Amino acid sequence: MAGSGVKAAVEWLASVAPDPDACRWEWERSSQGIVLLPAGRRWDVLILPGKLGRPTLDVLTRLIDRPGPVLSDFGDARVGFFVPPGTVDRWIGTGVRGAGQGTWIVAPYPGRAAGGMRRLIPPDGSGALTDATLLELAMHEAAGEAAAREGDWAAGCQRS
């Protein structure tokens, strides 16, 4: 991420913090390189299990040039997609957790991995988010592709 892109991303993310200046200071000077940011103001985060999250991101990047920001923990156990605020309140689905109004997320400094978190798609500072309907479509496609692969594997085992 270029220098001006990082600055724009930092400003956009820090704008939701109770004290944006303290947030920026913490990010830049903390050995952890992470801050807690409130969800539900400019974005919600839908958190998928890694086995669905990574394939969903693959499908999403085939559908659109650039999804909104996406976070992952190391080992890809969970993948978080930044979606419009209010999405978590309306989300109906199993196996997907949400961070919305009244919750906080762990956020690494843009362009760096820290605190067990990394950005698969960093924010660009524009405020671009992933459309929840498109994310749901990508999740269904990713789950269908996984089921087809498992079906092919199971069929191969039965033929042996």
Side-chain angles (χ1 to χ4, degrees), residues 72-88:
S72 177
D73 58 2
F74 289 111
D76 292 332
R78 292 177 302 267
V79 178
F81 294 83
F82 281 53
V83 294
T87 299
V88 167

Side-chain angles (χ1 to χ4, degrees), residues 57 60-61 64-70 81 121-122 128-130:
L57 180 57
L60 200 54
T61 56
I64 56 176
D65 287 336
R66 188 175 186 344
V70 180
F81 294 83
I121 307 271
L129 301 168
T130 297

Side-chain angles (χ1 to χ4, degrees), residues 4-68:
S4 63
V6 169
K7 183 174 175 25
V10 167
E11 293 304 316
W12 179 70
L13 290 165
S15 72
V16 302
D19 183 342
D21 291 332
C23 175
R24 285 188 295 274
W25 186 92
E26 182 70 22
W27 251 336
E28 292 167 4
R29 291 167 185 84
S30 164
S31 62
Q32 297 265 340
I34 58 170
V35 296
L36 288 174
L37 294 175
R41 293 182 182 173
R42 289 189 185 246
W43 63 80
D44 284 358
V45 181
L46 288 178
I47 305 162
L48 283 60
K51 288 182 179 181
L52 179 59
R54 283 308 293 246
T56 296
L57 180 57
D58 292 343
V59 170
L60 200 54
T61 56
R62 289 193 311 252
L63 296 173
I64 56 176
D65 287 336
R66 188 175 186 344

